[in-house]
Every structure is written in structure tokens, then in C-alpha cells.
Amino acid sequence: VVLLCTPVTTYIAAAEPVARGTCGDERVNDGKDVTWKLEKNGDKVTVEGVEKDAYTLTISGSGAMTETLYESWPWKDYRSAITEVMVEDGVTSLSGYAFQGCSALSTVSLPASVKTIGFAAFYGCYALTSITLAAGSTAFEVSNNGALLAGKDGTLVAYARMNSNEHLIVPAGVTEIPENFFNNATNVTSVSLPATVETIGWGAFTNMPKVGALVLPPSVTSVGQSVFGNMTSGSQLFYKSGFSLPAAVVDPNFTTTLAYTVEGTQDGK
């Protein structure tokens, strides 16, 4: 008896996305040029004490995303369970508030084709550990070992506070620190700001208890309230002599403000 064994190839169909749709600029081809899909990625997240499936949100196509309000994005009901955002080559613009409130988001991958990222696109993404930018980008750069995404036009875009080095270095060319941008970076021990920074938003460096001192460069012309709030006792904030600090920029019970001249001398205040 001769047995002939014929190899059998089994094809497993890819799982269908949990949800999908269009999110392109509606003025171009009715918004169909940019699409989104949400897929389970095999991980789990805990949301309000309940374990749930984790998701990957993929943005693909060509051109710009539409502009809409925070609560109008079609993936809003999955925000707390999205752990990964992947933007594919061809997409040129990410809209403001697009991923705001994705509290479990840990990794973001961006193509070189993205030229603009809107205001607060990654606001509230406090679980970020990795930001990957494809080679060849002319609009953005990643620094601090993948922790900080900045535009080459001087804007800060996203901060992976969960993977930040102890020594945070804001790259030269950045002109504005948005409000609450470095809030709750609890593992950072020192912050270095470039001489290009002009504006620092409300609460930008709040709740960074390991940072004992912060020096505002002479270029700073505007500072919001509570910039250096909720710090450890004995911390110090240095600013250029003659610059008028706003009220409540620090908690005087914990932080001392000290003026310096451009030549480097200091006088207490």
C-alpha cells in the first residue's frame, strides 16, 4: 500500500476591523481620501477597574484629515482602549484634538509625509512611551530618545513622559511650551530650555517633584500661571532681571523665585 501525502495549505482570513470609516478633508472627494480603521491588537487595558480589549487605530490614505471637535471623532467611544496609533505614508495632516484623551495610548508611528499636526492632537495621552518618526521628515523631529516630538517650525507636539530621560532637553528652535505640556513628568530631574523659547503656557512644568530648579532663558517674554506649581519644598525658579513674573507662577511656600542678569549674577526675590 502506497500512501501519498499531499501538503495542504490553510489560509486564515485577516480579522475584520472592529470599526472603520473616512476622516479626510470633506472639501476633497467628500473626505474619502483619508480613512481610519480600528482593530484589536491582542493586548488588554484596564478601564475603570474593568479589563478590556486594546485597539490599534490606523490612519491611511492621501491628503489631510478633516477638522472637527474633540467629541466628534468617530473613534471617540474607544479612546480609553486605544494603545497604538499608526499613520501610514501619504497622510499629510493630522487634525487638532484627533487623539486627545487616548489615555492608554503608548506608541505612535508617523510617516515622513505628515507636514502638519493640529493643536492638542495628543493632549492627555499620558501613557505615551514611544514616538516613532519615519526617516526623511522635513517638518518634524524626535529627540530625547524618542520621547519628544517637535515641529521644525518651533512648536512642541507630543511628549512621551513615560519614557522620558531624567534630563529633559528641549531642542533649539522651540519657541513655545504649550500649557500643561510637561505636566506630571515625575521621573525628570532636570530641564534645559533653549534660548529660543519665548512663551511658556499655564502649568507647563507642574507636578515635576524631582526638578529642583528651572531656569527661564532671557528670551522668555510670556509666562502663564502655575508654570512651576506643585513642586517640592526648596525648589527654585530663575528668571531674567526686569522680567515681570505673573501672580501665582509658583507656590511661594515651596518655591523661591530668583532674578538673574544676562551676565549671570543673581539676586533673591
Side-chain angles (χ1 to χ4, degrees):
V1 177
V2 178
L3 299 178
L4 299 178
C5 298
T6 303
V8 176
T9 303
T10 302
Y11 296 94
I12 300 175
E16 281 294 312
V18 174
R20 67 194 315 165
T22 62
C23 59
D25 185 341
E26 295 176 353
R27 297 169 297 180
V28 180
N29 196 23
D30 294 326
K32 297 177 182 178
D33 288 347
V34 180
T35 63
W36 65 275
K37 65 179 178 180
L38 203 65
E39 300 170 293
K40 294 180 181 179
N41 57 30
D43 292 333
K44 297 288 184 180
V45 295
T46 300
V47 181
E48 297 181 350
V50 178
E51 187 177 75
K52 296 184 177 182
D53 290 320
Y55 299 93
T56 296
L57 174 62
T58 302
I59 309 294
S60 57
S62 61
M65 291 176 66
T66 187
E67 296 287 345
T68 190
L69 299 175
Y70 164 70
E71 286 300 332
S72 297
W73 290 109
W75 48 83
K76 63 180 181 179
D77 294 335
Y78 295 89
R79 276 198 187 104
S80 60
I82 293 174
T83 58
E84 181 180 22
V85 167
M86 297 181 62
V87 182
E88 297 185 344
D89 189 45
V91 177
T92 60
S93 177
L94 302 181
S95 299
Y97 310 105
F99 314 111
Q100 178 181 350
C102 291
S103 55
L105 180 61
S106 61
T107 61
V108 173
S109 300
L110 301 174
S113 59
V114 170
K115 305 301 182 186
T116 61
I117 298 177
F119 177 76
F122 295 97
Y123 184 80
C125 299
Y126 293 139
L128 265 179
T129 60
S130 174
I131 302 170
T132 302
L133 178 66
S137 175
T138 59
F140 299 97
E141 61 183 350
V142 173
S143 63
N144 290 260
N145 289 331
L148 188 63
L149 177 66
K152 294 182 179 180
D153 61 354
T155 59
L156 289 177
V157 180
Y159 176 53
R161 57 184 36 73
M162 299 300 291
N163 190 39
S164 178
N165 293 337
E166 292 182 351
H167 308 293
L168 176 62
I169 301 174
V170 178
V174 170
T175 59
E176 179 179 359
I177 312 293
E179 63 179 48
N180 287 314
F181 196 82
F182 296 111
N183 181 20
N184 288 323
T186 55
N187 61 326
V188 173
T189 59
S190 67
V191 177
S192 177
L193 300 178
T196 53
V197 172
E198 300 173 353
T199 303
I200 301 178
W202 184 92
F205 298 99
T206 298
N207 297 321
M208 299 174 71
K210 294 182 181 179
V211 178
L214 178 66
V215 179
L216 305 183
S219 54
V220 171
T221 58
S222 175
V223 174
Q225 292 187 348
S226 299
V227 160
F228 206 45
N230 295 339
M231 308 305 291
T232 188
S233 180
S235 58
Q236 298 174 313
L237 177 68
F238 296 90
Y239 65 99
K240 180 182 176 182
S241 180
F243 177 67
S244 180
L245 286 175
V249 69
V250 299
D251 183 341
N253 295 316
F254 295 93
T255 304
T256 302
T257 56
L258 297 164
Y260 65 85
T261 66
V262 175
E263 289 73 28
T265 59
Q266 301 168 357
D267 58 272
K269 179 181 178 182

